[in-house]
Amino acid sequence: MKRALGFHRRKICWGLAILVATAALITPKPTPVWAESGKTNLAIGASIIGVIGTAAIGYGIWENLPQNQGKPRYFNGEFYAGGFGGESLLHKADWAYDNLTTAQKVAMHVGAVGGLKFGYFTASYPWLGLEAETNFTRQDVWNQTISISPTVGGSHQGTLPTSHWYVYTNSLKIMGRYGFFPDSEVPFGRLQPYLGIGPGFVVIYSEADSAKNFSLEVEAGLRYLMLKNVSAFVEYKFSQQWNVLLESQTLYAAGAVFTKNATFDVTNHKFVLGVAYHF
């Protein structure tokens, strides 16, 4: 029975490791414009998250090897690693074009989001933890006519062309949770609502420029441990950036074409479903 359980655990660990590697290989890698420093910042952020994730998964695989079953853990507490996918929605935002005008309530299409997360809850305080996350979102600005203020050439309206964004978000959050329905397999409780808050680093690639910004990241979720080591979860994620700057943004107004720097806030809501392995 123990050998069968150990084999089952190893299959889950290796499956998760393969999933992470596959996701890294197939994730789109858009080439940014005007963004040489952005490549460096993104590489640093992705490397940090990658090291944390790889170490967590490697430790989980090592701990579940047959020869290590029953031995004392080097780290007390609970590690987990998981993946998720869902929808990303951006608030309408006012875009301020340098020395020209402000385009009001610029809208974007609903985007798709996918990501990975790695976390740890302490043994002494099992309700308290830390979580690292990376996710990728594709967002599109659609071709739209918007109000502008002040007027340009006497016109109160302008037009934005279609453009595509690729958004990478890395975050580190302090986590708190509560447990319901404890049993012998999951003493803390199978049903676990949780909250997290912390800083993020976001890279936005548009077709003309890229922006690198720090953000506030908040999440609220509910997980259920279907098995001792496997959970399903649903989450709401909130991300806020202030004064994002994208260069060379196009605005059509009064029969003319303007290319200006645009500054705006980014308020992002994500709704995701996922699965995680706990060890």
Side-chain angles (χ1 to χ4, degrees):
M1 179 66 181
K2 289 184 177 180
R3 291 186 63 184
L5 181 60
F7 179 71
H8 179 64
R9 288 178 174 177
R10 292 199 304 277
K11 285 205 305 183
I12 294 175
C13 287
W14 281 112
L16 187 57
I18 292 170
L19 176 63
V20 172
T22 303
L25 290 173
I26 66 175
T27 299
K29 306 297 192 299
T31 302
V33 181
W34 311 99
E36 292 303 320
S37 61
K39 290 180 181 179
T40 302
N41 292 332
L42 179 60
I44 292 173
S47 298
I48 293 173
I49 298 296
V51 168
I52 294 173
T54 302
I57 292 174
Y59 175 72
I61 294 173
W62 178 86
E63 189 178 79
N64 283 282
L65 292 175
Q67 62 268 32
N68 294 325
Q69 294 296 309
K71 292 184 178 180
R73 293 169 62 106
Y74 281 93
F75 298 98
N76 291 323
E78 177 188 340
F79 286 94
Y80 61 92
F84 57 85
E87 290 187 340
S88 171
L89 297 85
L90 293 182
H91 267 310
K92 292 182 178 180
D94 293 344
W95 290 26
Y97 289 83
D98 283 355
N99 305 315
L100 181 65
T101 189
T102 297
Q104 299 175 344
K105 297 183 178 180
V106 176
M108 304 190 74
H109 285 293
V110 174
V113 59
L116 300 171
K117 57 173 13 183
F118 314 98
Y120 173 73
F121 282 99
T122 64
S124 300
Y125 305 97
W127 50 268
L128 180 64
L130 194 65
E131 180 179 282
E133 179 188 316
T134 183
N135 64 66
F136 168 77
T137 304
R138 163 71 182 270
Q139 304 279 171
D140 293 333
V141 181
W142 70 69
N143 179 265
Q144 58 195 287
T145 299
I146 37 66
S147 298
I148 58 175
S149 179
T151 62
V152 175
S155 175
H156 291 276
Q157 289 189 325
T159 301
L160 293 180
T162 299
S163 64
H164 308 294
W165 287 10
Y166 299 92
V167 184
Y168 291 88
T169 302
N170 291 328
S171 64
L172 185 65
K173 295 182 284 286
I174 295 175
M175 304 296 297
R177 65 175 177 172
Y178 193 82
F180 294 95
F181 310 122
D183 58 28
S184 59
E185 277 196 334
V186 188
F188 188 80
R190 288 188 179 272
L191 185 66
Q192 300 177 7
Y194 54 90
L195 293 170
I197 186 170
F201 181 72
V202 184
V203 181
I204 299 174
Y205 290 120
S206 73
E207 294 179 350
D209 188 31
S210 71
K212 288 80 64 182
N213 303 278
F214 289 103
S215 64
L216 172 66
E217 302 291 327
V218 180
E219 76 176 31
L222 181 68
R223 72 167 58 92
Y224 182 77
L225 278 92
M226 302 172 291
L227 303 174
K228 178 180 179 180
N229 298 101
V230 180
S231 70
F233 61 86
V234 58
E235 283 180 357
Y236 162 71
K237 301 176 183 294
F238 173 82
S239 176
Q240 180 67 49
Q241 301 172 67
W242 291 272
N243 297 319
V244 174
L245 172 65
L246 285 178
E247 298 179 359
S248 306
Q249 300 303 297
T250 301
L251 174 68
Y252 300 96
V257 181
F258 300 92
T259 303
K260 295 281 187 176
N261 296 345
T263 304
F264 47 89
D265 294 341
V266 176
T267 303
N268 195 182
H269 305 276
K270 302 183 182 84
F271 301 89
V272 305
L273 297 171
V275 293
Y277 180 72
H278 302 251
F279 49 94

